[in-house]
Amino acid sequence: MLASDPGVLETPAVQWSSGVLRTVREPLALEEPLALEIAYARGGTAVRRLIATTMRTPGADEDLAAGFLFAEGLIAERGDVVSFAAAERNSRGEAIATLTATLRAAPRENLERVSRSLLTSSACGLCGRPSLEGLRASAVTAGGARWQAEVLSALPERLRDAQPLFAATGGSHGAGLATAAGEIAFVREDVGRHNAVDKVVGAALAQGSPPFGGHALVLSGRASFELVQKAAAAGIPVIVAVGAPSSLALRLATEAGQTLLGFTRDGRFTLYTGAARLDGHGTA
């Protein structure tokens, strides 16, 4: 089973338990680099541009690319991408798995701000950025769906049940989009937290599911600044995390008008901001 899973690598290892050593084969979540490029026409001239190089778990690469381009403001909908093309070298001739998205029109966003051409780690979506400037998102629409505390507290467990890569390896992050009824509509996994979020947003875009105003983003780990920013950019009003938010993540969620929950497990959670979306609660 593991050998056929493109996201899993088996490796020999030694386990120690109760004073006994034994040789085992241990499943690991696969991590490999991917270069993301865009191609478009400007003034009759064909342009191909390296946007980012990131570490990710192979699989759902088109979802990853679409979610990333959407979060960065390079596309407004999935239809803005005419096609994807995979290659073994990037536009600089470097031998690295590359996915190129051909855009219907030239992007209006400042590519110098967006570009993350430095190699980033799977845990860092901001590495290589010159600054945090421009990453703050506009406010999320107020109102919308009302959320029951019991539904919110159960979402991480439901996400975990839909994470086969984590079940096999214990080495991946998960991101899900959930409805106010408690249904996990989309799930994606990756060794990188930000990659998992880009993938799940991209998957929803591919199914034509936006707007995201009636959904919660469920995170298998902590809520970092960039994950909150990606949710705000997509218009996702509720974030449910198993771990804690960072101080900057909380500041951004408050500014964006989002509802942010942390330590959501074992039938409990900590609400940091946005209580107005919970039934029976006043404004945070």
Side-chain angles (χ1 to χ4, degrees):
M1 173 181 175
L2 293 177
S4 63
D5 190 331
V8 177
L9 174 69
E10 282 193 339
T11 184
V14 176
Q15 284 185 347
W16 181 88
S17 179
S18 301
V20 177
L21 292 173
R22 66 188 184 101
T23 301
V24 297
R25 293 191 63 81
E26 192 72 9
L28 300 178
L30 193 61
E31 182 177 32
E32 293 180 350
L34 176 71
L36 298 179
E37 299 192 339
I38 57 173
Y40 55 91
R42 186 187 294 277
T45 301
V47 178
R48 184 178 172 191
R49 179 76 176 265
L50 177 63
I51 294 296
T53 302
T54 189
M55 301 297 290
R56 98 293 188 205
T57 301
D61 285 343
E62 293 185 5
D63 289 342
L64 169 61
F68 174 82
L69 295 175
F70 181 73
E72 297 293 347
L74 296 178
I75 63 173
E77 59 184 26
R78 179 62 174 79
D80 289 339
V81 179
V82 176
S83 63
F84 286 104
E88 296 180 356
R89 291 182 178 273
N90 64 19
S91 56
R92 300 178 180 180
E94 298 165 332
I96 181 174
T98 301
L99 187 66
T100 301
T102 298
L103 305 185
R104 192 172 303 279
R108 292 172 292 179
E109 182 57 76
N110 180 355
L111 294 182
E112 294 302 324
R113 181 192 70 77
V114 173
S115 179
R116 290 192 285 191
S117 58
L118 295 178
L119 181 66
T120 70
S121 76
S122 60
C124 178
L126 291 175
C127 303
R129 287 294 186 98
S131 72
L132 296 178
E133 182 181 359
L135 281 177
R136 298 187 183 279
S138 58
V140 171
T141 302
R146 303 285 294 178
W147 296 78
Q148 297 288 334
E150 292 78 9
V151 170
L152 291 169
S153 65
L155 290 179
E157 184 176 352
R158 293 179 181 176
L159 175 64
R160 176 71 64 85
D161 290 342
Q163 290 182 247
L165 181 59
F166 181 84
T169 68
S172 65
H173 296 282
L177 287 173
T179 67
E183 175 192 2
I184 303 290
F186 298 93
V187 176
R188 289 293 184 271
E189 296 180 86
D190 198 280
V191 291
R193 294 179 179 89
H194 65 287
N195 288 342
V197 173
D198 281 341
K199 284 182 176 182
V200 80
V201 171
L205 288 172
Q207 296 297 319
S209 294
F212 295 105
H215 290 82
L217 176 64
V218 190
L219 303 173
S220 63
R222 63 187 180 88
S224 66
F225 171 88
E226 191 187 22
L227 302 190
V228 173
Q229 185 273 333
K230 286 179 181 293
I236 300 172
V238 180
I239 301 170
V240 180
V242 171
S246 67
S247 60
L248 196 56
L250 174 56
R251 177 179 171 183
L252 177 59
T254 303
E255 292 175 354
Q258 294 168 292
T259 297
L260 178 60
L261 279 63
F263 297 110
T264 313
R265 53 182 181 263
D266 301 326
R268 59 184 176 85
F269 58 74
T270 300
L271 174 69
Y272 291 91
T273 186
R277 289 189 179 89
L278 270 65
D279 275 340
H281 291 267
T283 304

